[in-house]
Amino acid sequence: MLVFDQVGYYYRRGQEVVKEVSFTIQKGEFISIVGGNGSGKSTLAKLMNGLLLAKQGSVALGEQATSDPDQARDVRQTIGLVFQNPEDQFITTNVTDEIVFGLENIRVPPEQIGGRVQDALRATGLERYADAAPHELSGGQKQRAAVAAVIAMQPQFIVFDEATSMLDPEGRNELIKLMRDLHAQGITIIQITHHMDEVLASRRVLLLDQGKLAFDGPTDRFFREVPLEPYGLERPFAVRIGQQLGWSGEATADWKGRAASQWSIE
Ligand SMILES: Nc1ncnc2c1ncn2[C@@H]1O[C@H](COP(=O)(O)OP(=O)(O)OP(=O)(O)O)[C@@H](O)[C@H]1O
Ligand SMILES: [Mg+2]
């Protein structure tokens, strides 16, 4: 369980970019975080895994405060982050080394490393690319390598910070499918996205507006009740069509069905 309690953060004193944000994320959830440019989404992601420390309030993972430096390694291991730019994530020279690097960093015993690398390659469909260098991979494959490095650490939560936004449609589809697979395996998924179509894959939405939490609730209620335009967000295509045809909330199941077929959700 990840608990934000009245969290505030600023980069420059007096300019708060996260303001009094409180929410709880249970293990096993699939959540979207949305909001306009600069609303504080990436800052929130970094507060989640202790990359940034709250200036006000507290962030806790189970019993551990993420601000406790002794727990920092545990927290980063428990909550993995996947960022936007596939080019920025590759540190080493091939996919296997990339996974090993993360494991050595968290001091996984050497005898466990081989098995964890194989499992991570299999889970991300990258077995054939184990020795591939970054320039031999597509953007989508690079993002999957970043995910492989994260899941090898056996995290309970993974935060995807606009991880699909630089990918072509095929790469996007593959990454969303991977999120669904990981969620089915019990990993809590938190996706930050500008694509409202992707939000349909999640069950709960957090909306940030200038650093404040403006909505926290189920995905269908979000699309029914929240006017998205003021936040610079667009309704998903299927929802727009449904609303133009005059469907009520009752039609929700129908657009959910369409989204499900789009993203291969049951
Ligand atoms: N390292 C930094 N130093 C100073 N200000 C920053 C820094 N990183 C972000 N900010 C500012 O904090 C605010 C929130 O930024 P953040 O990146 O969290 O927003 P975001 O919702 O992720 O935006 P985007 O949709 O563009 O990714 C913005 O006003 C941004 O300019
Ligand atoms: Mg961001």
Side-chain angles (χ1 to χ4, degrees):
M1 191 164 84
L2 177 67
V3 182
F4 271 55
D5 185 14
Q6 294 289 308
V7 172
Y9 189 84
Y10 53 82
Y11 293 95
R12 287 184 211 92
R13 194 172 281 279
Q15 297 178 15
E16 277 204 303
V17 297
V18 169
K19 300 168 194 163
E20 295 174 6
V21 168
S22 298
F23 58 79
T24 296
I25 297 178
Q26 304 287 349
K27 262 201 221 169
E29 289 199 69
F30 192 137
I31 292 198
S32 294
I33 299 180
V34 302
N37 288 117
S39 57
K41 304 180 297 295
S42 295
T43 305
L44 207 64
K46 291 173 190 157
L47 287 163
M48 285 180 179
N49 88 333
L51 223 51
L52 296 175
L53 299 180
K55 305 278 188 184
Q56 282 100 35
S58 63
V59 179
L61 182 64
E63 301 292 295
Q64 305 171 336
T66 62
S67 55
D68 179 350
D70 293 342
Q71 312 282 359
R73 196 153 45 105
D74 267 4
V75 170
R76 291 202 194 147
Q77 193 173 332
T78 309
I79 304 192
L81 281 183
V82 181
F83 293 103
Q84 180 170 29
N85 190 342
E87 310 303 328
D88 287 348
Q89 317 219 24
F90 235 102
I91 302 163
T92 64
T93 52
N94 71 56
V95 173
T96 296
D97 282 356
E98 196 65 18
I99 303 171
V100 170
F101 177 80
L103 294 177
E104 287 178 343
N105 243 330
I106 59 165
R107 297 185 210 149
V108 170
E111 64 274 15
Q112 286 182 21
I113 287 184
R116 289 220 203 174
V117 169
Q118 287 313 314
D119 289 347
L121 289 171
R122 203 173 311 118
T124 50
L126 288 174
E127 292 115 310
R128 284 195 298 132
Y129 299 92
D131 301 319
H135 69 268
E136 297 171 287
L137 301 173
S138 69
Q141 288 165 340
K142 273 182 223 164
Q143 285 301 64
R144 281 191 280 143
V147 177
V150 165
I151 61 179
M153 298 192 213
Q154 303 179 340
Q156 291 170 15
F157 296 71
I158 304 180
V159 185
F160 293 84
D161 188 355
E162 306 211 33
T164 64
S165 66
M166 302 182 80
L167 304 182
D168 60 19
E170 190 187 337
R172 256 181 82 191
N173 281 342
E174 283 172 5
L175 196 60
I176 301 269
K177 168 121 185 10
L178 181 55
M179 287 183 209
R180 305 278 332 169
D181 290 347
L182 296 173
H183 180 242
Q185 288 162 32
I187 299 179
T188 308
I189 303 291
I190 302 166
Q191 64 165 353
I192 296 174
T193 181
H194 269 121
H195 293 282
M196 291 302 111
D197 291 329
E198 294 176 1
V199 172
L200 295 173
S202 65
R203 294 173 192 172
R204 176 176 162 201
V205 179
L206 304 183
L207 168 65
L208 277 182
D209 180 32
Q210 299 178 34
K212 287 201 158 164
L213 195 57
F215 178 91
D216 175 2
T219 303
D220 53 356
R221 194 152 71 73
F222 172 74
F223 285 118
R224 251 186 289 124
E225 294 179 6
V226 179
L228 300 183
E229 292 72 18
Y231 302 104
L233 304 172
E234 281 204 347
R235 250 154 243 286
F237 183 65
V239 174
R240 265 194 335 263
I241 295 280
Q243 286 174 341
Q244 276 167 19
L245 291 173
W247 296 345
S248 63
E250 302 302 308
T252 301
D254 195 63
W255 60 256
K256 260 194 179 158
R258 292 165 197 224
S261 57
Q262 186 178 357
W263 299 124
S264 337
I265 310 166
E266 282 76 55

